[in-house]
Amino acid sequence: MQFHSISDFLNMGGYAFYVWLSYGVTFTCFGLLIFTSRAKKKQLFKNINKKRQREQLLKARRSNTQ
């Protein structure tokens, strides 16, 4: 489809509301997906580090009691 002007492009042949709404919803979903993925990754690494520290502490206590 060729557009003769910017306003024709923005109008999208009369379907502008649906087209731009779908783009908006899509990019919003992608943004939320990226945000939640990064937050979960950060939380996962934090939990792994806590677990590693607990294991090192238990190992140190066991070696001190023997």
Side-chain angles (χ1 to χ4, degrees):
M1 179 183 277
Q2 288 184 334
F3 300 105
H4 298 290
S5 68
I6 296 294
S7 64
D8 285 344
F9 173 73
L10 294 175
N11 190 25
M12 290 287 173
Y15 297 102
F17 176 75
Y18 303 106
V19 171
W20 296 116
L21 182 65
S22 66
Y23 275 112
V25 169
T26 300
F27 287 121
T28 301
C29 289
F30 279 141
L32 289 172
L33 178 64
I34 291 169
F35 175 76
T36 57
S37 296
R38 287 182 178 175
K40 286 183 180 184
K41 179 182 175 184
K42 185 178 178 181
Q43 186 64 37
L44 177 66
F45 282 132
K46 191 182 292 185
N47 289 340
I48 289 171
N49 286 333
K50 283 182 182 180
K51 183 176 180 181
R52 186 179 296 153
Q53 289 173 353
R54 281 193 306 263
E55 289 173 353
Q56 289 175 350
L57 182 62
L58 289 173
K59 186 176 180 181
R61 286 181 181 173
R62 285 185 197 137
S63 66
N64 287 338
T65 58
Q66 293 176 354

